[in-house]
Amino acid sequence: MDSIYTLVKNNIQNDYLTTKFAVGSDIWMHVKNIPGSHVIIKSKNGNVSDTALLEGALLAAFFSKAKHSSNVPVDYTEKKNVKKPSGAKPGMVVYFTNKTIYVTPEESKIKKINISIIIGSMSIVGVGILFKCLPLLIFKKF
């Protein structure tokens, strides 16, 4: 599988991930109406598998305020359907044409996802500004 799951831990990183890193055909995921990390699923051919959607939803739910809940609703849509309102705070987006998947974010399920984790400093250049994001977590499917 060629999917890459990417998520971050704060609103500035969420903002970069969704508005700068993701492209229109990527899949954007976030728990419904609950604070949490944005998840992007990428694929070389623009399609993602049902397994990628399930695992991305598990990651979105696990890294949210709903971590200890069951049947957590996770909305997903193509990134082209996600917009940042003018003047909105970092990480704040609106989206449309979404679907919802319900998952229970058990730690045992997260541990079964074949991931590598990169934690630390990453310099990001965007709009002429260089800033550091700490920590940045990238989950990559092998």
Side-chain angles (χ1 to χ4, degrees):
M1 183 177 299
D2 57 357
S3 296
I4 300 172
Y5 310 111
T6 311
L7 78 127
V8 292
K9 298 292 286 182
N10 66 43
N11 61 342
I12 294 169
Q13 294 168 348
N14 277 337
D15 196 71
Y16 172 80
L17 177 70
T18 300
T19 63
K20 305 286 190 260
F21 176 78
V23 298
S25 61
D26 292 343
I27 301 298
W28 175 88
M29 305 183 93
H30 193 279
V31 290
K32 186 180 202 82
N33 300 323
I34 301 169
S37 295
H38 295 201
V39 172
I40 298 294
I41 302 176
K42 291 186 156 289
S43 178
K44 291 178 184 176
N45 62 8
N47 296 314
V48 296
S49 68
D50 290 342
T51 300
L53 285 175
L54 176 61
E55 291 178 355
L58 283 167
L59 291 168
F62 189 79
F63 290 99
S64 76
K65 298 282 185 186
K67 178 179 182 174
H68 301 293
S69 302
S70 59
N71 292 322
V72 177
V74 177
D75 287 343
Y76 67 96
T77 187
E78 288 184 310
K79 192 276 178 187
K80 67 183 178 185
N81 300 322
V82 179
K83 307 294 180 204
K84 180 180 174 116
S86 179
K89 293 180 181 180
M92 172 63 184
V93 296
V94 294
Y95 55 96
F96 54 95
T97 318
N98 63 285
K99 296 179 182 177
T100 305
I101 184 171
Y102 291 83
V103 295
T104 299
E106 297 167 358
E107 191 166 346
S108 61
K109 292 178 184 176
I110 299 299
K111 288 180 178 179
K112 289 179 183 176
I113 300 174
N114 184 16
I115 57 176
S116 64
I117 304 173
I118 301 169
I119 303 175
S121 172
M122 179 177 180
S123 295
I124 300 170
V125 179
V127 195
I129 299 171
L130 177 69
F131 62 99
K132 293 207 179 254
C133 292
L134 296 171
L136 179 68
L137 305 176
I138 299 174
F139 294 81
K140 181 178 180 182
K141 189 77 174 183
F142 297 140

